[in-house]
Amino acid sequence: MINITLPDNSVRQYEKGITALEIARSISEGLARNVLSAEVNGEVIDATRPIENDSSVKLLTWRDEKGQATMWHSSAHLMAETIEHLYPGAKFGIGPDIENGFYYDIDLGNQVISENDFKKIEDKMLEFAREKQNYIRKEISKADAIKYFTEKGDEYKLELINELEDGEITFYESGNFVDLCRGPHLPDTSPIKAVKILSVAGAYWRGDENRKQLTRLYGITFPKKKELDEYLERLEEAKKRDHRKIGKELELFTFSQAVGQGLPLWLPKGAHLREKLENFLKKVQKEAGYEPVISPHIGNVNLYKTSGHYDKYGADSFQPISTPIEGEEFFLKPMNCPHHCEIYKSKPHSYKELPIRYSEFGTVYRYEQSGELHGLTRVRGFTQDDAHIFCTPDQVKGEFIGVMDIVMKIFKALEFNDYTVQISLRDPEDDKKYIGSKENWDKAEKAILEVAEETGLNTVIEYGEAAFYGPKMDFMVRDAIGRKWQLGTIQVDYNLPERFELEYTGSDNEKHRPVMIHRAPFGSMERFVAVLIEHTSGKFPIWLTPDQVIILPISEKYQKYAEKVLSFLNNSDLRAQIDDRSEKTGRKIRDAELKRIPYMLIVGEKEEMDETVSVRKQGEGDKGTFSLIDFVKHVQKEIETALDNN
């Protein structure tokens, strides 16, 4: 008999070799029907795999993200089976689950899949799903795996197999389809009740532009058609909120082929929005004791070899820049941290000076593949709201609290109200892949967990997800239509202080290594602005919007009064403009609404005589007549309330 510990800490005894599906059935048939996979001792496995030892078991259903991932991974196999049936001779690359659905990279030979083919693929997938095909896991030798895919003529799978060790290779069979896969998968295809092929695109094999371009087919599945319908509605809403579309409408940013792919150009209104965000954070950072620094956009290649970034980002960065001096090379910086280490190292430090907090809006560069570029969310040059804190191990907890306070101020001011905090800790089973002393790791992890508990944040702990150089905390935000974004990160680092031989003199008059904390509440300014646009649908908080007020004279006769109003507003530090087109007032109001301008001030004969303005607010309509001073006070109070004295 073995002991099975369930999430409520209850312990049940079962015979050795019990499966998670059988455990679920012992609890209730209804639960068993909903189980998609299981998390056993932290590892997600098939619900049909035997459990041989005492274990902690969590039964995963559609309500669990890992359960959804299992269904989508299984659906990728179902789609591949369908493609193989409909397009004989197709060869397959990789087919993972992703955040929303799955994809498969396919070599179709001379065949083509277009949107016109989506319906027949969906119908055939549902037909196969209704057959209740079992997903059968088979451990197979490397020789037999090579033999199978050699006979099948699939060079992509053979390449993947050649990189695996004998004894770690598994196949999954479902229906007439066999795939190289480590799993996990559903017990069978019956939970798949609704299917949608979302899009088709090109993708280079293994992301290498020098290799063959395959067809990447994206899809998503659900256990109920109603859930698919709701998802498609959200997808339509997401299209309306697309930051590329709204960014163009609001004249925030643009791209130019002449400048280069993935290199955004910020237009005046977008630059103003960015400046307001930066100034907001700079004010908060100054109050928190940060010191601004500035570092160059390039550095000697050896700097990044010391830091390890050359090895990590070398393949994804622009090529080194050679100078007239033989052998001298520079690198467009992929990260700001090595520069900040050198700033710290520029003079000796005592423990009395710590913590030292350096901040910089530093632009970095990475050569993303052209197929991966996407508006502002994936670019080749981006600016991080970077800061690096150098402190003693005993100060880590206090610094985490300080950084979290900054993140909370940002979220509050920008109305990101739905978020969770992911705490990434060491893998308790394998401490060899981490650097730094066990004592320092214990202190850092204890500090993070205590901070999370004391602040009462909604947290999720992920073991084994820590960076090799230290534990970290990521802020996962849900936007207005339920999508999840990673915004803001805090990371503890023992690696760079070691690599750069950073020191401080302790109270014992001995040399010690500082702990380095990386933090970026926005992440990158480009990605953050993209998320903010889509979260607000371009209707920014009043303090942030580039155009706060538009003045609408009802005819040319009131142009001079409109200019007087404009001057008053500008002198009161409100951002305003005049719509002096010879259009009807109704048309001007509609256009201002489309531009997401918060306030519209209509001026005519009565307003000029009384030195007032008739006020309309975006989405709310008529707000009545205000004197100029009262209107300014009204907007200023709204701004103060939004910022809440941050």
Side-chain angles (χ1 to χ4, degrees):
M1 303 296 287
I2 58 173
N3 294 318
I4 299 297
T5 305
L6 298 174
D8 63 358
N9 289 323
S10 64
V11 179
R12 295 180 175 226
Q13 284 197 330
Y14 295 95
E15 287 189 14
K16 183 179 179 181
I18 188 82
T19 68
L21 191 59
E22 290 166 337
I23 293 171
R25 194 168 288 121
S26 75
I27 298 171
S28 80
E29 282 294 335
L31 177 59
R33 284 194 296 272
N34 289 307
V35 167
L36 305 178
S37 57
E39 190 169 1
V40 179
N41 298 326
E43 179 188 2
V44 181
I45 67 170
D46 305 330
T48 53
R49 279 184 67 180
I51 301 170
E52 304 292 343
N53 302 300
D54 292 351
S55 300
S56 294
V57 175
K58 181 180 180 182
L59 302 171
L60 301 174
T61 69
W62 180 251
R63 289 192 294 270
D64 302 293
E65 286 187 7
K66 292 174 181 177
Q68 292 180 5
T70 302
M71 180 151 152
W72 287 335
H73 187 188
S74 302
S75 299
H77 281 231
L78 182 64
M79 184 173 73
E81 178 188 2
T82 300
I83 296 301
E84 193 168 66
H85 176 84
L86 296 175
Y87 300 86
K91 302 173 185 178
F92 298 92
I94 58 170
D97 59 274
I98 54 178
E99 185 175 355
N100 285 298
F102 53 90
Y103 70 79
Y104 222 119
D105 288 343
I106 310 158
D107 183 348
L108 291 163
N110 296 322
Q111 304 172 96
V112 175
I113 292 177
S114 71
E115 289 187 11
N116 296 330
D117 302 310
F118 288 1
K119 180 69 166 55
K120 72 177 181 181
I121 296 171
E122 293 163 2
D123 290 345
K124 182 57 72 172
M125 285 179 69
L126 285 172
E127 180 185 322
F128 285 151
R130 285 191 290 268
E131 292 176 0
K132 203 174 179 178
Q133 298 175 357
N134 292 320
Y135 287 93
I136 302 168
R137 181 179 186 270
K138 295 180 179 178
E139 295 181 0
I140 190 166
S141 70
K142 187 168 185 175
D144 286 343
I146 290 172
K147 181 175 183 291
Y148 178 84
F149 281 106
T150 300
E151 290 175 357
K152 191 175 182 183
D154 195 326
E155 63 268 29
Y156 305 103
K157 298 297 182 184
L158 287 170
E159 181 176 328
L160 296 172
I161 290 167
N162 283 325
E163 295 172 2
L164 300 174
E165 296 295 328
D166 208 350
E168 63 177 22
I169 299 172
T170 54
F171 280 5
Y172 274 83
E173 181 180 334
S174 53
N176 294 315
F177 182 69
V178 176
D179 205 356
L180 169 72
C181 184
R182 63 170 56 95
H185 285 289
L186 302 171
D188 60 61
T189 57
S190 61
I192 302 170
K193 298 286 202 311
V195 176
K196 187 67 178 176
I197 303 301
L198 297 171
S199 62
V200 62
Y204 293 106
W205 172 232
R206 310 198 85 171
D208 186 342
E209 291 179 334
N210 298 313
R211 305 193 69 178
K212 185 167 184 176
Q213 189 175 64
L214 306 180
T215 297
R216 177 169 291 180
L217 196 60
Y218 289 91
I220 195 165
T221 55
F222 291 88
K224 294 179 182 176
K225 186 177 183 304
K226 180 185 175 186
E227 292 174 321
L228 172 59
D229 292 340
E230 290 170 350
Y231 173 78
L232 294 176
E233 286 177 13
R234 292 195 300 273
L235 212 57
E236 284 304 308
E237 180 62 26
K239 288 179 184 176
K240 295 176 189 174
R241 291 171 176 261
D242 191 317
H243 74 278
R244 296 168 298 177
K245 172 179 172 288
I246 293 175
K248 184 176 182 180
E249 292 171 354
L250 300 187
E251 300 176 5
L252 300 177
F253 60 88
T254 189
F255 289 89
S256 164
Q257 288 295 328
V259 173
Q261 286 185 301
L263 300 171
L265 299 169
W266 291 89
L267 304 176
K269 291 179 182 179
H272 182 91
L273 185 146
R274 259 188 65 157
E275 183 181 45
K276 294 296 287 185
L277 284 171
E278 289 183 13
N279 289 342
F280 172 75
L281 183 55
K282 284 176 181 177
K283 178 175 179 291
V284 173
Q285 288 179 161
K286 184 177 180 181
E287 293 168 353
Y290 285 79
E291 298 178 290
V293 296
I294 299 173
S295 61
H297 291 244
I298 64 173
N300 193 290
V301 164
N302 292 324
L303 176 72
Y304 306 106
K305 288 181 178 178
T306 299
S307 70
H309 290 105
Y310 186 83
D311 291 336
K312 183 173 181 182
Y313 293 110
D316 297 319
S317 293
F318 293 87
Q319 292 302 300
I321 305 163
S322 297
T323 73
I325 298 175
E326 186 177 350
E328 184 178 57
E329 290 185 321
F330 285 79
F331 206 46
L332 283 170
K333 66 175 175 180
M335 296 291 273
N336 298 301
C337 17
H339 296 250
H340 291 191
C341 287
E342 289 297 317
I343 292 173
Y344 176 89
K345 200 175 178 180
S346 63
K347 68 173 187 176
H349 296 284
S350 161
Y351 73 97
K352 295 178 181 179
E353 299 173 63
L354 303 186
I356 291 172
R357 309 179 187 97
Y358 295 140
S359 64
E360 177 182 13
F361 285 88
T363 303
V364 298
Y365 304 89
R366 297 176 199 163
Y367 188 79
E368 303 285 358
Q369 299 290 344
S370 59
E372 300 293 325
L373 299 174
H374 182 82
L376 293 180
T377 60
R378 198 75 177 264
V379 290
R380 287 174 172 168
F382 54 94
T383 302
Q384 294 179 306
D385 60 321
D386 233 345
H388 296 95
I389 301 166
F390 301 88
C391 63
T392 69
D394 292 336
Q395 292 171 333
V396 168
K397 179 179 175 181
E399 291 309 302
F400 255 83
I401 291 173
V403 175
M404 289 177 69
D405 184 50
I406 291 175
V407 173
M408 292 303 103
K409 286 181 178 180
I410 291 171
F411 285 2
K412 189 172 183 181
L414 296 172
E415 299 179 7
F416 285 112
N417 302 318
D418 185 0
Y419 55 86
T420 57
V421 179
Q422 178 176 307
I423 299 173
S424 300
L425 305 178
R426 285 170 295 178
D427 182 346
E429 305 297 323
D430 182 10
D431 59 4
K432 293 180 181 177
K433 58 185 180 183
Y434 306 105
I435 67 163
S437 70
K438 183 179 183 301
E439 179 188 8
N440 280 346
W441 270 88
D442 289 343
K443 279 185 179 180
E445 292 185 337
K446 183 172 182 286
I448 291 175
L449 293 170
E450 285 179 354
V451 167
E453 185 177 351
E454 290 173 14
T455 53
L457 292 175
N458 181 19
T459 58
V460 176
I461 297 175
E462 295 288 349
Y463 291 97
E465 293 299 315
F468 72 93
Y469 50 76
K472 61 179 182 172
M473 182 181 279
D474 294 320
F475 293 83
M476 317 300 291
V477 173
R478 286 199 183 275
D479 68 13
I481 58 174
R483 295 169 302 178
K484 190 162 69 174
W485 305 85
Q486 190 251 306
L487 293 179
T489 186
I490 316 173
Q491 302 176 359
V492 179
D493 186 356
Y494 303 108
N495 178 43
L496 289 186
E498 190 71 34
R499 282 176 174 264
F500 282 93
E501 300 180 344
L502 305 184
E503 296 178 336
Y504 67 90
T505 303
S507 58
D508 57 2
N509 213 33
E510 297 291 328
K511 296 296 183 184
H512 300 271
R513 290 262 185 266
V515 180
M516 188 174 179
I517 297 176
H518 305 246
R519 50 110 281 196
F522 290 145
S524 86
M525 297 303 296
E526 286 71 14
R527 188 170 181 274
F528 190 87
V529 169
V531 174
L532 184 62
I533 290 171
E534 299 199 7
H535 177 59
T536 63
S537 195
K539 297 175 184 176
F540 303 115
I542 183 70
W543 64 273
L544 187 59
T545 186
D547 294 319
Q548 295 172 319
V549 182
I550 189 162
I551 305 160
L552 311 178
I554 63 173
S555 75
E556 289 182 12
K557 288 194 296 183
Y558 308 106
Q559 179 70 20
K560 284 191 176 179
Y561 180 61
E563 290 171 358
K564 179 180 178 181
V565 173
L566 177 66
S567 176
F568 186 86
L569 297 179
N570 287 342
N571 289 334
S572 302
D573 203 27
L574 295 185
R575 300 181 294 280
Q577 59 176 286
I578 299 172
D579 185 346
D580 56 5
R581 297 175 300 159
S582 56
E583 296 281 358
K584 291 183 179 180
T585 304
R587 172 64 185 273
K588 291 182 179 182
I589 290 171
R590 284 193 299 275
D591 289 348
E593 292 270 1
L594 289 173
K595 290 179 180 177
R596 284 89 162 169
I597 299 174
Y599 283 99
M600 291 150 271
L601 305 186
I602 300 163
V603 296
E605 182 179 5
K606 187 174 187 308
E607 287 79 18
E608 183 177 36
M609 287 177 58
D610 299 339
E611 293 197 335
T612 60
V613 288
S614 292
V615 179
R616 288 182 64 89
K617 190 171 184 186
Q618 167 80 224
E620 296 182 16
D622 184 31
K623 306 299 286 186
T625 302
F626 288 68
S627 68
L628 293 180
I629 188 67
D630 284 346
F631 174 72
V632 168
K633 287 179 179 177
H634 175 80
V635 177
Q636 287 175 341
K637 185 175 181 181
E638 185 178 347
I639 292 171
E640 288 172 11
T641 302
L643 291 174
D644 196 26
N645 298 319
N646 284 332

